[in-house]
Amino acid sequence: MTTPRRPEALDGRNVATHHVWYAAYGSNMHFDRLSYYLAGGRPPGGARRYPGCRDSRAPRRMIPVMLPGQLYFALESMAWTGGMGFYDPLDPGEMPACAYLVTASQFSDIAAQEMYREPGGDLDLTDVLAEGRAVLGEGRYETLVCPGILDGYPVLTFTAPWRSADVTHARPAAAYLRNFASGLRESHGWGVARVAEYLASRQGAAGSWTAAEVAEAVDASAVRQPDVRE
């Protein structure tokens, strides 16, 4: 497994924009799930059919990364019920994600599908690359964030326009936590105990889920499996 790396800070250098790192921190940490955003279709058990990207090719690379900031749960997911996962890049700490090296047009189409827009047009990345943030709308995932660069390519993701402290946190559903846990195990190789401790400590889950309850919801049979770092 590639060692998780914090993206280098933006320092005014010219960065390549033909390819970008799409940093997924939710369900798209699963490559199988991301493939529906790329090629289109309805994921197993899903209620939504994705139109896909203009370019359906697989990412050139995929690596685990740690982004500055924190994951938190708020609002209510239309797909999972319970709190949705959001990213606040200004919160202290680090957040695990899976970075996919895709074309700028692929990132634009993935972002459009997350924003419930029709894919097909390229996003103007000028502001997010210059400022580290660009608000495209008031929707839940309509704010672009660039936490830095990695191997010369900008790291991009999307989240809500508000800070984590400015919204009411919400308890995530068990099925949603299982999805997060599976993505963390797949992309970062974390053991169940480490995943459970991490998710149970996020705002929205903290106080409504214990690490033991998350571990049981994720995979009770795997609770005693060692973390891959051990």
Side-chain angles (χ1 to χ4, degrees):
M1 184 189 75
T2 303
T3 303
R5 291 173 289 177
R6 183 184 180 121
E8 306 159 29
L10 288 172
D11 60 5
R13 292 178 296 174
N14 291 326
V15 294
T17 54
H18 179 65
H19 282 84
V20 302
W21 292 103
Y22 160 45
Y25 57 89
S27 59
N28 282 347
M29 282 192 286
H30 299 272
F31 176 72
D32 285 349
R33 175 83 177 197
L34 178 68
S35 67
Y36 288 94
Y37 283 77
L38 294 169
R42 189 192 307 273
R48 180 184 175 193
R49 177 175 293 277
Y50 295 94
C53 296
R54 290 163 286 173
D55 180 352
S56 61
R57 289 177 296 177
R60 293 177 62 181
R61 293 171 61 193
M62 52 187 293
I63 58 173
V65 294
M66 299 295 288
L67 303 181
Q70 290 290 351
L71 169 73
Y72 66 96
F73 298 99
L75 306 183
E76 182 171 355
S77 169
M78 292 180 286
W80 302 94
T81 72
M84 303 169 61
F86 295 100
Y87 168 47
D88 189 333
L90 299 180
D91 277 352
E94 292 186 317
M95 180 186 75
C98 183
Y100 301 95
L101 189 59
V102 297
T103 67
S105 69
Q106 284 179 312
F107 174 77
S108 296
D109 288 347
I110 292 167
Q113 291 173 87
E114 285 283 15
M115 297 174 188
Y116 282 83
R117 301 180 180 185
E118 190 66 26
D122 289 342
L123 293 174
D124 183 350
L125 302 179
T126 304
D127 288 344
V128 69
L129 294 180
E131 305 294 334
R133 170 185 164 93
V135 179
L136 305 183
E138 298 180 357
R140 299 173 173 186
Y141 293 114
E142 293 187 336
T143 295
L144 302 181
V145 177
C146 179
I149 63 172
L150 181 62
D151 294 344
Y153 298 102
V155 179
L156 297 172
T157 191
F158 24 78
T159 187
W162 52 76
R163 292 292 313 279
S164 64
D166 297 333
V167 65
T168 301
H169 301 128
R171 183 181 191 270
Y176 196 40
L177 290 179
R178 281 194 292 271
N179 184 273
F180 264 88
S182 181
L184 287 166
R185 294 172 68 184
E186 177 183 307
S187 60
H188 283 256
W190 287 7
V192 171
R194 185 179 180 190
V195 167
E197 290 174 2
Y198 170 73
L199 291 176
S201 67
R202 300 306 89 191
Q203 296 179 87
S208 61
W209 284 95
T210 66
E213 290 169 339
V214 173
E216 183 177 1
V218 169
D219 185 357
S221 66
V223 170
R224 289 183 295 276
Q225 291 182 1
D227 192 292
V228 293
R229 300 179 307 162
E230 298 173 351

